[in-house]
Amino acid sequence: MQRTSFREMACSIARTLDVIGEPWSPLILRDIWVGMNRFDEIQADLGISRKVLTERLNHLVEHGVLERRPYDRRPRYEYHLTTKGTELVDLLMVMADWGDRWLAGESGPPVLYRHHACGEISRVELHCAHCGKPMHANDVDVLPGPGSATPEAAATPSEPR
C-alpha cells in the first residue's frame, strides 16, 4: 500500500512519522527492545502478517533504525536496535507514560520500568536539557529554527507568547 511521504516536510514530527508513523513500527521496535530479535518471535507476539512484518522490518533497516545480524547459514537474521533506534525507544517510553496515565484504567500500567542508575521503579519525565526543570507543552514557545520552511522567519524569531 502506498503511503504518503512526510520526509520532505520542514517538520521534525512529520519526518519522524515518515519512519515510524504507521501502527506496526512502534510495536516492532518495542518487541526488539525487550529482546524479541527474530522474525518468528516478533510475528508470533504481534500476530502481524509475514508480508507486513517483512515490509516494516525492511523499512526500519533502510532508515537505520534497525540492523540485521545473520544467525545461521540460511539467510536468517536477528534484528537489533541501532543507536538511532534506541533513541526512538525513548520516544516510545514517553508514549507508554501517557498511555499509563490516561488509558491503563484501574488495573494500572501493564509494565513497570526499573531505572538502572538508582534501581527504583520510575517513569519517564521530560525536562529541559539546559536548566533541568520539567518541560511540558505549556512551558515552551515554538520558534522558527534554522531548518524552517521560511528562512526569513528563522533569521528573526517571533516574540515569545
Side-chain angles (χ1 to χ4, degrees):
M1 177 159 105
Q2 183 83 19
R3 290 184 345 130
T4 301
S5 175
F6 298 122
R7 142 179 359 131
E8 300 301 321
M9 289 181 74
C11 172
S12 294
I13 295 170
R15 291 174 183 163
T16 301
L17 288 173
D18 195 61
V19 176
I20 62 159
E22 57 74 49
W24 290 113
S25 291
L27 299 176
I28 292 166
L29 292 174
R30 176 208 60 197
D31 278 7
I32 292 170
W33 175 51
V34 300
M36 293 181 222
N37 300 99
R38 295 186 177 179
F39 186 97
D40 290 337
E41 293 173 314
I42 300 165
Q43 197 269 330
D45 184 60
L46 296 178
I48 186 175
S49 78
R50 296 180 73 79
K51 179 182 185 292
V52 171
L53 180 55
T54 298
E55 289 171 357
R56 293 291 87 219
L57 288 169
N58 287 339
H59 180 79
L60 293 167
V61 168
E62 288 169 17
H63 284 275
V65 173
L66 297 177
E67 66 179 10
R68 284 187 187 96
R69 296 180 191 164
Y71 70 87
D72 71 11
R73 285 184 279 168
R74 290 185 270 167
R76 288 189 180 204
Y77 301 95
E78 289 185 336
Y79 293 87
H80 294 269
L81 294 167
T82 62
T83 300
K84 192 175 183 179
T86 300
E87 288 185 13
L88 269 173
V89 171
D90 294 345
L91 172 67
L92 299 183
M93 290 175 62
V94 172
M95 289 174 62
D97 185 61
W98 184 89
D100 290 348
R101 184 176 298 224
W102 294 101
L103 305 172
E106 290 182 24
S107 58
V111 299
L112 300 174
Y113 301 97
R114 183 184 354 255
H115 187 224
H116 290 173
C118 68
E120 296 295 324
I121 301 297
S122 192
R123 54 182 279 278
V124 173
E125 186 173 285
L126 296 175
H127 67 276
C128 175
H130 181 73
C131 70
K133 291 184 179 176
M135 187 168 155
H136 300 284
N138 292 334
D139 301 326
V140 300
D141 294 313
V142 179
L143 308 173
S148 175
T150 56
E152 58 278 354
T156 56
S158 61
E159 289 295 314
R161 295 188 247 157

